[in-house]
Amino acid sequence: MKKEHIAACASLSVLVGLAAATAGYAALRLRAAGRSSRRAHPFDRRSRSEGARLLVVGDSTAGGVGASSPEQSLPGLLARANPSLTVVNKAMPGARFADMLSQLEGDERVDAVLVLGGANDVFHGTRDAALRSGIERVAQRARVRSDVVVFMPPGNLGNLRFLLPPWNWWMTYRARRLQTLVAEVAEANGARHVSLFLAREDDPFARHPRRLSSRDGVHPNDAGYELWQRELETQAQLSARLRKIGRSAAARTTAF
């Protein structure tokens, strides 16, 4: 065998070895994040009957994993901004879109549905057809429960600091596909889509991971969830909508 062929084979072996090693390390980090998810307690609050009612479904981010307390999770921050808000949180760690249908069971109407999730579909490689079907079924079922439905999938998961080439490239592609599918399904079903997807150079979680990410490197911390809340308000004005619904409900209760 010629020397150049030997060198090429050796280089390929090194690259394959590095790819396998980085994949193994990423898998260990994701499993550790999954274990921390099981210890979370989703924020849930029953408030005054005249306030607005929010149903939260999704995965560990909807459950507030990474926050210092349930009150510092995104649903908790929404409740802080709306003191009369009732929050019913059905989130389950590890949930994919196909799993969220069970979280939407029931016929009782609510004032808004917030869908927080999608990372598990990206990590587990859910095929596009199955992913679109899952998102569509969630959107249709959510609209049965409320006229106000907001989808908020995770940002660019390829920017997670423990993901190295080529896996970060693949995760970026998958996360971008998720955003595209959610945006298309949301528009077709009269729902809102809040996008957190950004290129690495523009992503605050990539630029300031210690400031915004929890110790597991996957979920936001308190500051990260506050940033998510600001994006939610900027892109969907959910708190303003809930406050308006709450004032209308209080006025109707007072009138009677």
Side-chain angles (χ1 to χ4, degrees):
M1 184 180 292
K2 293 183 178 180
K3 289 183 178 180
E4 56 267 26
H5 290 165
I6 295 174
C9 289
S11 299
L12 180 60
S13 297
V14 170
L15 290 174
V16 170
L18 286 172
T22 56
Y25 178 64
L28 289 173
R29 293 293 299 268
L30 292 174
R31 280 198 290 270
R35 288 193 295 271
S36 69
S37 298
R38 291 192 286 272
R39 297 191 294 270
H41 299 284
F43 180 88
D44 197 282
R45 183 180 77 183
R46 300 299 191 276
S47 193
R48 298 192 296 271
S49 59
E50 66 269 19
R53 294 164 297 168
L54 172 67
L55 173 62
V56 179
V57 302
D59 57 21
S60 54
T61 56
V65 174
S68 61
S69 69
E71 289 73 21
Q72 297 300 320
S73 68
L74 184 54
L77 294 172
L78 288 171
R80 182 195 299 174
N82 299 271
S84 63
L85 180 67
T86 287
V87 178
V88 179
N89 197 329
K90 298 292 186 179
M92 289 293 294
R96 305 188 204 186
F97 275 103
D99 304 315
M100 296 178 201
L101 283 174
S102 62
Q103 300 175 22
L104 288 161
E105 288 180 352
D107 297 320
E108 182 183 3
R109 295 279 291 177
V110 294
D111 296 303
V113 176
L114 177 60
V115 183
L116 284 167
N120 294 296
D121 286 288
V122 172
F123 291 141
H124 293 284
T126 305
R127 293 180 181 273
D128 277 9
L131 181 54
R132 180 186 289 275
S133 175
I135 299 168
E136 286 176 340
R137 292 162 68 195
V138 168
Q140 291 161 6
R141 182 61 195 160
R143 285 304 303 271
V144 171
R145 301 295 304 272
S146 178
D147 294 330
V148 179
V149 178
V150 179
F151 281 85
M152 193 170 180
N156 187 349
L157 297 171
N159 291 341
L160 293 176
R161 55 184 169 176
F162 58 81
L163 289 177
L164 302 175
W167 308 112
N168 60 339
W169 304 333
W170 174 244
M171 287 298 172
T172 291
Y173 168 77
R174 291 291 301 156
R176 184 182 288 111
R177 285 297 298 152
L178 172 66
Q179 297 291 334
T180 298
L181 292 174
V182 170
E184 291 173 355
V185 171
E187 183 177 7
N189 288 272
R192 292 290 189 97
H193 165 229
V194 176
S195 176
L196 300 172
F197 187 95
L198 292 168
R200 179 177 294 275
E201 59 270 20
D202 300 320
D203 188 347
F205 283 89
R207 295 168 58 194
H208 310 290
R210 296 184 183 280
R211 186 188 307 170
L212 298 172
S213 298
S214 65
R215 282 189 287 182
D216 66 21
V218 176
H219 299 92
N221 60 15
D222 291 358
Y225 281 119
E226 288 175 1
L227 188 152
W228 278 23
Q229 185 196 22
R230 290 195 293 272
E231 285 300 319
L232 178 60
E233 301 313 327
T234 298
Q235 298 185 42
Q237 297 83 46
L238 183 58
S239 282
R241 287 177 171 222
L242 292 170
R243 282 193 293 270
K244 184 177 180 179
I245 292 169
R247 287 195 297 270
S248 298
R252 289 195 299 271
T253 301
T254 303
F256 285 102

